[in-house]
Amino acid sequence: MSKSAWKKMLTGVFAIAGFLAVGAFTAAAQEVQGGTLYGNMQTVTQDMLNRAAGDGNNFLHTNGNYEQTRYYPARQINVDNVKNLRPAWIFQTEIVESQETTPIVVNGIMYITTSFNHVYALNAKTGAQIWHYKHKMGPITTYCCGPNNRGVAAYGDKVYMGTLDAKLVALDAKTGKLVWEKQIADPELGYSETMAPSAVNGKILIGTNGGEYGIRGFVKAYDWATGDLLWTFNTIPENSVGVWAENDATGRNMKRDIAAEKAALKKLGDPYKTLGGGVWQNPAVDLERKRVYFVVGNPSPDLDGSIRPGDNLYTDSLVAVDLDTGKYVCHFQYIAHDVWDLDAVSPPILTQVRDANGNMVDGLLHGGKTGHVYIHNRDDCSLIRFSEAMVPQEDMWVLPTKDGQRMLPGANGGVEWSPMTVDENLGLAYAINLHQPMTYHVESSPYPEGKLWLGGAFKVIPTEEQWGNITAVDYNTGKIRWKVKTPQPMIGGIMATAGGLVFTGEGNGLFKAYDSATGNVLWSFQAGAGVNAPPASYTVDGKQYIVVGAGGNVQLNYKRGNNIIAFALPD
Amino acid sequence: MLAVVACAGWSAPVHAVENPVNPDESERPILPEEYASVSTELSGCFECHGVSGRPIEPAFPILSGQHFYYLYVQLKDFKAARRTSEIMQPMVDELSRDQMKLIAKYFSEQEWPGTGFKGDPALIAKGETATGAGQCVQCHRGAYDGDSRVPRLAGQTREYLFNTLSDFKHKARMNSPSKSSLMDSFDEADLEAMAEFLADL
């Protein structure tokens, strides 16, 4: 590695992260001393995880850091030279299917996962395979939207993955051998795992899929070493009725028939046992407050509210719980009694925001399927403001009917599960969006025991144009700063870097770098299959890499592939 | 209504003869030891679903190579009358859960047979648009080969596909209400086209 490259990188890290960069420097220095890459693999300490936001060498969290900013502090690759970016290596997995993994990079070793729960450890510099773990899948799996997996969590000497048959597995990071395996919930009842776990203070946190089945959602914490269950937070409380809210978070009337719901409540009782409320994505961790913040998905059945009276707490909500105990702290519900599946999925981001009085406060951002970025106060989960709509909204909230009602956005969003990113220097949040006109159909049926339970149907309108966009939102005002339209609806994720760039991919195989201040396209690469995974970045031997999965997407039927592609500047 | 559809196929093959799926008695499988306890039952199944995986009538679904958990759930549902079929119900009445699992496992381990079906290109195109509108790939996957609880549709017999889509629509098949709601939003011609598209895969 050249001295100047080192210098450049470290300056970048220092400039952004101040004293935090010391941690990064130490890690890098140790790695160079260690000589071989995987002979000297270090364990992931809590300290490393805490300092991840300033660590320009590793990528230790699915969303970059506990705040989930997906802002990478290295700036070797930047607005001036990104045009020279080219593939450094391409790794092909055994599985040609939807790719949603976020690569995790620890001291030059990269961990990636694939559909159907394979895990690979790779040399992050060369792409050479170190080990390959293939989960022994049970016969019963449940998933809507593809046999996806969004990656591992790394902690201590282990990496962790949730599986389609609803297990949590702990692997030896050095060898890929199974250390322990826990059944999180019963897959026959509709539970499954696609999210990457989160690791903090000796706990492995994981939510659940299943909102399209009659599940009762949760977030669970397991002991990192033994796999013992430490706590469970049920996303659906036994009293799920709430306050009979008539308006959504933005003040629009939701046309609820509250009298009918009250009558149904008398007759049917509280529907909490089968009310859904999956948690699809990682929580943000507030280490100071010792809290985790996550968003909860739709109520079950998706479209039929008649048999689930009440606000259906805490579906379609931001929720905070105590990190040590899993006890409820606060929540904010975006849509009470949702009958459109316009729920909350994209992982929340912690950052400083300007409140209504102009004071900077500890804030939280969430990108909704409604097409709004919601800006909260972290103290009590309250809403400070919401952004302008990033996609067309029409006829919100028209109620679904038997023959179908058109409403925009369609049920995939807005912002789907795709994580957002922020650049705090610019005060901008970046979201990728879908525009996919649909009709909403309702038809009531009792829970068909462990089978898909939508309470109707969502249908794409084949004659209407679909597209996507990347939108930069000023979270201190809620105004859209820039917006770039894409030919297809966007799904996957986005990452900002200190190089003044944001990276995101498209269903048509294009992976692009944008100027984070203006939205100008500065670079693009054709990956040959849909780039629908969140990008990551890391540095080995003084060279910064951008890495992304190109495996297409099931949900939007984008071309499948099996590539993990790492990009770097020429020597 | 469902039984009528199935029986029509059983006794008098209609236009589907253009793509016959012939049983081949010489291929009657030798069952591995683990299936000894259900060998009589399996012989019964072969009578209609075919000895070599290819059903004797196009209105009878292909079971060989179908997913284990889907098959097991269907057998449970026939027995509990969550899915009604005058033909199938007596077949499963006496089966225990363990027998059902074993039978489902047997079929799931066999190879999926080809039917040689070649569809009409215009109908196929129409069918592809309709499955796109229904977002069918979200669960049945891009190749329509399903997984676990979601059945393989690709290369299933056109007649059975149409019958079962239509049974969902008209609520003759009741064991997946979300399918009924979805099929209800399509007209008969769309269902024909979808069956054509899927059978041709």
Side-chain angles (χ1 to χ4, degrees):
Chain A
M1 131 199 25
S2 79
K3 219 172 182 171
S4 66
W6 258 113
K7 236 189 194 156
K8 203 165 182 184
M9 187 201 92
L10 287 172
T11 325
V13 172
F14 269 105
I16 299 309
F19 71 94
L20 287 181
V22 178
F25 178 76
T26 322
Q30 280 166 7
E31 179 207 302
V32 172
Q33 265 173 21
T36 69
L37 277 173
Y38 35 99
N40 182 32
M41 201 170 58
Q42 286 132 353
T43 58
V44 175
T45 63
Q46 186 58 47
D47 192 51
M48 286 164 74
L49 290 169
N50 293 353
R51 292 163 184 267
D55 182 347
N57 290 314
N58 297 313
F59 202 89
L60 298 176
H61 302 263
T62 302
N63 293 310
N65 44 60
Y66 281 131
E67 295 79 17
Q68 310 209 102
T69 59
R70 299 199 125 265
Y71 178 84
Y72 201 68
R75 58 173 60 186
Q76 188 181 79
I77 299 164
N78 55 49
V79 282
D80 297 326
N81 61 21
V82 69
K83 62 178 183 290
N84 301 322
L85 202 62
R86 48 130 189 78
W89 53 258
I90 298 177
F91 178 77
Q92 299 190 327
T93 72
E94 197 174 282
I95 304 292
V96 181
E97 182 52 296
S98 198
Q99 179 54 271
E100 298 186 353
T101 197
T102 290
I104 296 294
V105 183
V106 184
N107 293 331
I109 312 288
M110 177 182 299
Y111 304 95
I112 57 143
T113 64
T114 69
S115 278
F116 298 111
N117 295 117
H118 291 228
V119 189
Y120 291 88
L122 308 176
N123 178 327
K125 192 175 166 179
T126 64
Q129 179 178 318
I130 299 167
W131 53 254
H132 174 198
Y133 168 83
K134 190 173 167 178
H135 175 64
K136 199 170 172 302
M137 196 72 77
I140 308 173
T141 56
T142 308
Y143 45 82
C144 128
C145 322
N148 302 309
N149 185 272
R150 304 209 180 86
V152 300
Y155 195 82
D157 55 356
K158 298 184 198 29
V159 293
Y160 303 84
M161 172 177 64
T163 68
L164 294 174
D165 52 355
K167 288 178 175 165
L168 177 63
V169 299
L171 308 179
D172 182 331
K174 242 181 222 145
T175 62
K177 295 271 181 300
L178 184 70
V179 181
W180 53 254
E181 180 177 85
K182 296 284 164 183
Q183 189 73 51
I184 297 172
D186 185 352
E188 204 158 347
L189 301 179
Y191 294 92
S192 72
E193 296 293 345
T194 54
M195 69 183 278
S198 290
V200 54
N201 293 355
K203 295 179 188 66
I204 307 301
L205 307 177
I206 192 157
T208 184
N209 303 349
E212 277 58 46
Y213 293 75
I215 62 146
R216 185 183 184 197
F218 54 73
V219 173
K220 287 178 190 279
Y222 290 88
D223 182 276
W224 78 283
T226 62
D228 291 341
L229 181 64
L230 300 174
W231 53 254
T232 299
F233 174 80
N234 289 310
T235 57
I236 310 293
E238 283 181 28
N239 182 349
S240 66
V241 171
V243 297
W244 305 103
E246 305 213 23
N247 295 336
D248 74 354
T250 68
R252 270 172 290 208
N253 188 278
M254 297 179 295
K255 305 194 176 74
R256 282 173 75 175
D257 184 344
I258 300 223
E261 281 186 50
K262 285 187 171 161
L265 182 66
K266 249 204 196 114
K267 205 169 119 209
L268 306 170
D270 195 299
Y272 74 93
K273 280 185 188 149
T274 53
L275 196 49
V279 175
W280 293 81
Q281 286 281 45
N282 302 71
V285 179
D286 185 330
L287 291 164
E288 257 173 56
R289 285 181 173 74
K290 286 219 185 278
R291 288 183 192 174
V292 293
Y293 295 84
F294 50 86
V295 288
V296 180
N298 62 282
S300 298
D302 300 48
L303 291 138
D304 174 18
S306 68
I307 49 175
R308 48 171 172 82
D311 292 353
N312 306 148
L313 296 176
Y314 302 107
T315 62
D316 290 38
S317 300
L318 167 69
V319 176
V321 305
D322 184 276
L323 171 59
D324 292 330
T325 62
K327 292 265 175 306
Y328 168 91
V329 177
C330 60
H331 83 279
F332 181 89
Q333 190 171 36
Y334 300 105
I335 302 164
H337 195 78
D338 174 16
V339 290
W340 306 272
D341 192 18
L342 285 182
D343 59 343
V345 209
S346 176
I349 297 175
L350 308 183
T351 185
Q352 296 294 113
V353 302
R354 206 172 290 287
D355 72 6
N357 305 319
N359 301 318
M360 291 310 276
V361 296
D362 286 350
L364 180 147
L365 315 177
H366 163 64
K369 276 166 97 178
T370 53
H372 295 291
V373 175
Y374 299 97
I375 296 113
H376 298 265
N377 187 316
R378 226 182 293 165
D379 273 339
D380 57 359
C381 295
S382 61
L383 187 71
I384 296 172
R385 69 179 63 84
F386 56 91
S387 76
E388 297 175 85
M390 299 180 281
V391 290
Q393 299 176 327
E394 281 173 35
D395 281 334
M396 275 164 89
W397 298 101
V398 69
L399 293 173
T401 59
K402 177 129 195 337
D403 294 329
Q405 280 290 342
R406 179 182 179 277
M407 185 184 89
L408 299 182
N412 289 329
V415 185
E416 237 291 354
W417 59 268
S418 317
M420 300 196 300
T421 183
V422 297
D423 184 326
E424 291 172 337
N425 304 309
L426 298 172
L428 295 178
Y430 305 87
I432 61 171
N433 283 279
L434 301 95
H435 170 72
Q436 208 185 18
M438 284 195 198
T439 48
Y440 295 79
H441 306 246
V442 64
E443 187 173 32
S444 196
S445 81
Y447 184 36
E449 285 314 309
K451 294 208 184 82
L452 187 70
W453 194 31
L454 302 177
F458 306 100
K459 267 180 86 179
V460 170
I461 305 171
T463 48
E464 289 198 43
E465 200 198 349
Q466 303 183 18
W467 42 261
N469 72 45
I470 301 129
T471 306
V473 168
D474 180 338
Y475 48 79
N476 290 315
T477 62
K479 294 268 182 288
I480 290 171
R481 178 73 59 84
W482 57 257
K483 188 149 65 168
V484 177
K485 197 168 165 178
T486 57
Q488 291 165 303
M490 294 285 284
I491 198 161
I494 183 163
M495 174 183 65
T497 75
L501 300 166
V502 290
F503 289 89
T504 188
E506 299 176 27
N508 55 19
L510 288 172
F511 182 50
K512 291 180 183 163
Y514 299 82
D515 184 322
S516 47
T518 63
N520 288 338
V521 178
L522 299 179
W523 171 83
S524 83
F525 177 82
Q526 173 52 254
V531 181
N532 306 110
S537 183
Y538 59 97
T539 304
V540 184
D541 287 351
K543 195 182 261 291
Q544 185 190 353
Y545 296 80
I546 305 291
V547 61
V548 75
N553 179 273
V554 167
Q555 196 170 348
L556 301 174
N557 210 13
Y558 292 146
K559 189 184 169 199
R560 312 300 198 279
N562 62 341
N563 293 325
I564 303 289
I565 310 177
F567 301 88
L569 295 170
D571 287 324
Chain B
M1 184 253 135
L2 181 64
V4 175
V5 171
C7 283
W10 167 241
S11 52
V14 262
H15 71 286
V17 195
E18 36 184 271
N19 297 294
V21 275
N22 295 319
D24 182 350
E25 284 297 328
S26 65
E27 283 178 37
R28 189 169 276 277
I30 299 156
L31 293 176
E33 185 54 33
E34 81 175 286
Y35 300 108
S37 65
V38 289
S39 64
T40 320
E41 287 77 5
L42 279 172
S43 320
C45 316
F46 297 151
E47 296 298 331
C48 293
H49 293 285
V51 290
S52 57
R54 295 188 294 173
I56 65 158
E57 288 293 339
F60 303 162
I62 294 169
L63 304 182
S64 292
Q66 189 53 279
H67 297 286
F68 160 80
Y69 187 59
Y70 173 76
L71 290 174
Y72 171 56
V73 168
Q74 300 313 304
L75 295 176
K76 275 198 306 183
D77 285 2
F78 281 129
K79 184 164 173 172
R82 278 189 293 268
R83 179 172 175 183
T84 50
S85 159
E86 280 177 23
I87 296 181
M88 274 308 299
Q89 219 142 327
M91 303 295 155
V92 296
D93 245 6
E94 306 279 287
L95 296 181
S96 69
R97 292 246 166 145
D98 285 342
Q99 286 177 309
M100 290 182 197
K101 279 188 185 157
L102 213 50
I103 290 171
K105 181 164 178 284
Y106 172 78
F107 282 111
S108 71
E109 285 169 352
Q110 309 310 306
E111 209 170 306
W112 184 272
T115 63
F117 179 80
K118 278 273 157 282
D120 168 64
L123 259 187
I124 288 175
K126 183 178 157 94
E128 191 165 9
T129 305
T131 52
Q135 303 187 83
C136 308
V137 294
Q138 288 204 359
C139 296
H140 292 277
R141 304 177 61 218
Y144 294 91
D145 54 357
D147 185 33
S148 186
R149 61 171 77 228
V150 179
R152 171 175 177 151
L153 306 177
Q156 183 57 279
T157 69
R158 200 201 68 90
E159 280 67 18
Y160 170 71
L161 283 169
F162 174 73
N163 289 347
T164 209
L165 292 175
S166 169
D167 286 348
F168 276 129
K169 179 176 170 74
H170 299 292
K171 303 213 169 45
R173 181 171 173 183
M174 296 283 280
N175 72 332
S176 182
S178 292
K179 294 295 88 167
S180 291
S181 308
L182 184 60
M183 296 319 150
D184 189 50
S185 72
F186 291 101
D187 60 26
E188 222 71 26
D190 281 330
L191 300 188
E192 289 272 7
M194 282 198 269
E196 190 91 354
F197 165 65
L198 295 166
D200 187 72
L201 289 173

mmCIF file of all heavy atoms in Angstrom, chain B residues 121-146:
data_model
loop_
_atom_site.group_PDB
_atom_site.id
_atom_site.type_symbol
_atom_site.label_atom_id
_atom_site.label_comp_id
_atom_site.label_asym_id
_atom_site.label_seq_id
_atom_site.Cartn_x
_atom_site.Cartn_y
_atom_site.Cartn_z
ATOM 1 N N PRO B 121 -48.897 -19.448 -28.317
ATOM 2 C CA PRO B 121 -48.083 -18.275 -27.952
ATOM 3 C C PRO B 121 -48.898 -17.054 -27.509
ATOM 4 O O PRO B 121 -48.514 -16.365 -26.563
ATOM 5 C CB PRO B 121 -47.301 -17.965 -29.222
ATOM 6 C CG PRO B 121 -47.264 -19.249 -29.974
ATOM 7 C CD PRO B 121 -48.521 -19.985 -29.642
ATOM 8 N N ALA B 122 -50.009 -16.791 -28.165
ATOM 9 C CA ALA B 122 -50.808 -15.610 -27.798
ATOM 10 C C ALA B 122 -51.409 -15.785 -26.408
ATOM 11 O O ALA B 122 -51.406 -14.864 -25.588
ATOM 12 C CB ALA B 122 -51.912 -15.379 -28.829
ATOM 13 N N LEU B 123 -51.883 -16.997 -26.147
ATOM 14 C CA LEU B 123 -52.449 -17.278 -24.827
ATOM 15 C C LEU B 123 -51.371 -17.204 -23.741
ATOM 16 O O LEU B 123 -51.603 -16.695 -22.645
ATOM 17 C CB LEU B 123 -53.055 -18.687 -24.811
ATOM 18 C CG LEU B 123 -54.563 -18.834 -24.938
ATOM 19 C CD1 LEU B 123 -54.957 -20.287 -24.722
ATOM 20 C CD2 LEU B 123 -55.291 -17.928 -23.941
ATOM 21 N N ILE B 124 -50.192 -17.714 -24.083
ATOM 22 C CA ILE B 124 -49.083 -17.699 -23.125
ATOM 23 C C ILE B 124 -48.731 -16.264 -22.745
ATOM 24 O O ILE B 124 -48.553 -15.936 -21.573
ATOM 25 C CB ILE B 124 -47.847 -18.421 -23.707
ATOM 26 C CG1 ILE B 124 -48.121 -19.930 -23.746
ATOM 27 C CG2 ILE B 124 -46.592 -18.133 -22.896
ATOM 28 C CD1 ILE B 124 -47.038 -20.744 -24.413
ATOM 29 N N ALA B 125 -48.671 -15.397 -23.745
ATOM 30 C CA ALA B 125 -48.342 -13.990 -23.479
ATOM 31 C C ALA B 125 -49.395 -13.365 -22.570
ATOM 32 O O ALA B 125 -49.076 -12.645 -21.621
ATOM 33 C CB ALA B 125 -48.244 -13.220 -24.792
ATOM 34 N N LYS B 126 -50.637 -13.652 -22.848
ATOM 35 C CA LYS B 126 -51.730 -13.135 -22.015
ATOM 36 C C LYS B 126 -51.612 -13.685 -20.592
ATOM 37 O O LYS B 126 -51.797 -12.963 -19.607
ATOM 38 C CB LYS B 126 -53.064 -13.566 -22.649
ATOM 39 C CG LYS B 126 -54.315 -13.042 -21.955
ATOM 40 C CD LYS B 126 -55.555 -13.523 -22.729
ATOM 41 C CE LYS B 126 -56.789 -13.552 -21.860
ATOM 42 N NZ LYS B 126 -57.616 -12.378 -21.912
ATOM 43 N N GLY B 127 -51.258 -14.959 -20.510
ATOM 44 C CA GLY B 127 -51.111 -15.597 -19.200
ATOM 45 C C GLY B 127 -49.965 -15.010 -18.399
ATOM 46 O O GLY B 127 -50.051 -14.849 -17.187
ATOM 47 N N GLU B 128 -48.910 -14.664 -19.101
ATOM 48 C CA GLU B 128 -47.748 -14.092 -18.407
ATOM 49 C C GLU B 128 -48.089 -12.716 -17.825
ATOM 50 O O GLU B 128 -47.694 -12.387 -16.709
ATOM 51 C CB GLU B 128 -46.553 -14.015 -19.367
ATOM 52 C CG GLU B 128 -45.268 -13.695 -18.646
ATOM 53 C CD GLU B 128 -44.023 -13.958 -19.481
ATOM 54 O OE1 GLU B 128 -44.160 -14.233 -20.694
ATOM 55 O OE2 GLU B 128 -42.919 -13.881 -18.900
ATOM 56 N N THR B 129 -48.836 -11.918 -18.592
ATOM 57 C CA THR B 129 -49.278 -10.614 -18.082
ATOM 58 C C THR B 129 -50.154 -10.787 -16.850
ATOM 59 O O THR B 129 -50.006 -10.068 -15.856
ATOM 60 C CB THR B 129 -50.066 -9.862 -19.180
ATOM 61 O OG1 THR B 129 -49.251 -9.787 -20.341
ATOM 62 C CG2 THR B 129 -50.436 -8.463 -18.729
ATOM 63 N N ALA B 130 -51.042 -11.767 -16.914
ATOM 64 C CA ALA B 130 -51.958 -11.974 -15.785
ATOM 65 C C ALA B 130 -51.203 -12.421 -14.533
ATOM 66 O O ALA B 130 -51.469 -11.918 -13.433
ATOM 67 C CB ALA B 130 -53.026 -13.003 -16.165
ATOM 68 N N THR B 131 -50.253 -13.335 -14.684
ATOM 69 C CA THR B 131 -49.503 -13.768 -13.494
ATOM 70 C C THR B 131 -48.656 -12.619 -12.948
ATOM 71 O O THR B 131 -48.452 -12.522 -11.749
ATOM 72 C CB THR B 131 -48.577 -14.974 -13.790
ATOM 73 O OG1 THR B 131 -47.778 -14.659 -14.918
ATOM 74 C CG2 THR B 131 -49.362 -16.239 -14.047
ATOM 75 N N GLY B 132 -48.218 -11.730 -13.855
ATOM 76 C CA GLY B 132 -47.486 -10.543 -13.405
ATOM 77 C C GLY B 132 -48.373 -9.657 -12.551
ATOM 78 O O GLY B 132 -47.971 -9.188 -11.489
ATOM 79 N N ALA B 133 -49.606 -9.441 -13.005
ATOM 80 C CA ALA B 133 -50.541 -8.610 -12.247
ATOM 81 C C ALA B 133 -50.830 -9.231 -10.890
ATOM 82 O O ALA B 133 -50.983 -8.539 -9.886
ATOM 83 C CB ALA B 133 -51.841 -8.438 -13.034
ATOM 84 N N GLY B 134 -50.883 -10.551 -10.854
ATOM 85 C CA GLY B 134 -51.160 -11.246 -9.593
ATOM 86 C C GLY B 134 -49.947 -11.368 -8.695
ATOM 87 O O GLY B 134 -50.055 -11.874 -7.584
ATOM 88 N N GLN B 135 -48.788 -10.903 -9.159
ATOM 89 C CA GLN B 135 -47.531 -10.992 -8.402
ATOM 90 C C GLN B 135 -47.261 -12.420 -7.939
ATOM 91 O O GLN B 135 -46.769 -12.661 -6.832
ATOM 92 C CB GLN B 135 -47.561 -10.054 -7.196
ATOM 93 C CG GLN B 135 -47.804 -8.598 -7.553
ATOM 94 C CD GLN B 135 -47.641 -7.703 -6.329
ATOM 95 O OE1 GLN B 135 -46.540 -7.321 -5.965
ATOM 96 N NE2 GLN B 135 -48.753 -7.400 -5.674
ATOM 97 N N CYS B 136 -47.591 -13.389 -8.801
ATOM 98 C CA CYS B 136 -47.510 -14.807 -8.417
ATOM 99 C C CYS B 136 -46.096 -15.218 -8.025
ATOM 100 O O CYS B 136 -45.900 -16.082 -7.174
ATOM 101 C CB CYS B 136 -48.020 -15.686 -9.549
ATOM 102 S SG CYS B 136 -49.651 -15.184 -10.136
ATOM 103 N N VAL B 137 -45.088 -14.579 -8.659
ATOM 104 C CA VAL B 137 -43.705 -14.978 -8.385
ATOM 105 C C VAL B 137 -43.288 -14.691 -6.946
ATOM 106 O O VAL B 137 -42.329 -15.273 -6.459
ATOM 107 C CB VAL B 137 -42.692 -14.284 -9.325
ATOM 108 C CG1 VAL B 137 -42.885 -14.747 -10.754
ATOM 109 C CG2 VAL B 137 -42.777 -12.777 -9.211
ATOM 110 N N GLN B 138 -43.987 -13.787 -6.277
ATOM 111 C CA GLN B 138 -43.598 -13.466 -4.907
ATOM 112 C C GLN B 138 -43.556 -14.722 -4.043
ATOM 113 O O GLN B 138 -42.749 -14.825 -3.129
ATOM 114 C CB GLN B 138 -44.563 -12.455 -4.287
ATOM 115 C CG GLN B 138 -44.395 -11.065 -4.860
ATOM 116 C CD GLN B 138 -44.881 -9.991 -3.904
ATOM 117 O OE1 GLN B 138 -45.364 -10.272 -2.820
ATOM 118 N NE2 GLN B 138 -44.759 -8.749 -4.304
ATOM 119 N N CYS B 139 -44.457 -15.657 -4.313
ATOM 120 C CA CYS B 139 -44.462 -16.894 -3.535
ATOM 121 C C CYS B 139 -44.007 -18.104 -4.354
ATOM 122 O O CYS B 139 -43.290 -18.953 -3.859
ATOM 123 C CB CYS B 139 -45.841 -17.164 -2.970
ATOM 124 S SG CYS B 139 -46.380 -15.914 -1.792
ATOM 125 N N HIS B 140 -44.453 -18.172 -5.620
ATOM 126 C CA HIS B 140 -44.119 -19.359 -6.420
ATOM 127 C C HIS B 140 -42.723 -19.275 -7.027
ATOM 128 O O HIS B 140 -42.276 -20.218 -7.652
ATOM 129 C CB HIS B 140 -45.175 -19.569 -7.508
ATOM 130 C CG HIS B 140 -46.512 -19.965 -6.953
ATOM 131 N ND1 HIS B 140 -46.819 -21.258 -6.628
ATOM 132 C CD2 HIS B 140 -47.596 -19.228 -6.629
ATOM 133 C CE1 HIS B 140 -48.063 -21.318 -6.134
ATOM 134 N NE2 HIS B 140 -48.542 -20.092 -6.131
ATOM 135 N N ARG B 141 -42.051 -18.174 -6.848
ATOM 136 C CA ARG B 141 -40.689 -17.921 -7.322
ATOM 137 C C ARG B 141 -40.655 -17.764 -8.841
ATOM 138 O O ARG B 141 -41.583 -18.119 -9.544
ATOM 139 C CB ARG B 141 -39.729 -19.009 -6.858
ATOM 140 C CG ARG B 141 -39.735 -19.166 -5.345
ATOM 141 C CD ARG B 141 -38.834 -20.290 -4.869
ATOM 142 N NE ARG B 141 -37.478 -20.029 -5.262
ATOM 143 C CZ ARG B 141 -36.630 -20.971 -5.678
ATOM 144 N NH1 ARG B 141 -37.013 -22.213 -5.760
ATOM 145 N NH2 ARG B 141 -35.412 -20.648 -6.002
ATOM 146 N N GLY B 142 -39.524 -17.223 -9.292
ATOM 147 C CA GLY B 142 -39.402 -16.804 -10.681
ATOM 148 C C GLY B 142 -39.618 -17.914 -11.690
ATOM 149 O O GLY B 142 -40.170 -17.697 -12.763
ATOM 150 N N ALA B 143 -39.201 -19.134 -11.328
ATOM 151 C CA ALA B 143 -39.347 -20.249 -12.264
ATOM 152 C C ALA B 143 -40.667 -20.987 -12.009
ATOM 153 O O ALA B 143 -40.918 -22.017 -12.617
ATOM 154 C CB ALA B 143 -38.169 -21.203 -12.126
ATOM 155 N N TYR B 144 -41.496 -20.456 -11.140
ATOM 156 C CA TYR B 144 -42.769 -21.085 -10.759
ATOM 157 C C TYR B 144 -42.569 -22.517 -10.287
ATOM 158 O O TYR B 144 -43.398 -23.389 -10.517
ATOM 159 C CB TYR B 144 -43.786 -21.034 -11.914
ATOM 160 C CG TYR B 144 -44.213 -19.625 -12.232
ATOM 161 C CD1 TYR B 144 -43.536 -18.867 -13.181
ATOM 162 C CD2 TYR B 144 -45.278 -19.037 -11.548
ATOM 163 C CE1 TYR B 144 -43.900 -17.557 -13.444
ATOM 164 C CE2 TYR B 144 -45.646 -17.730 -11.808
ATOM 165 C CZ TYR B 144 -44.951 -17.002 -12.760
ATOM 166 O OH TYR B 144 -45.326 -15.705 -13.007
ATOM 167 N N ASP B 145 -41.430 -22.751 -9.614
ATOM 168 C CA ASP B 145 -41.188 -24.103 -9.113
ATOM 169 C C ASP B 145 -41.475 -24.237 -7.621
ATOM 170 O O ASP B 145 -41.280 -25.301 -7.046
ATOM 171 C CB ASP B 145 -39.767 -24.577 -9.449
ATOM 172 C CG ASP B 145 -38.706 -23.601 -8.960
ATOM 173 O OD1 ASP B 145 -39.067 -22.535 -8.422
ATOM 174 O OD2 ASP B 145 -37.517 -23.903 -9.122
ATOM 175 N N GLY B 146 -41.948 -23.154 -6.995
ATOM 176 C CA GLY B 146 -42.411 -23.238 -5.613
ATOM 177 C C GLY B 146 -41.346 -23.667 -4.627
ATOM 178 O O GLY B 146 -40.171 -23.788 -4.964
#
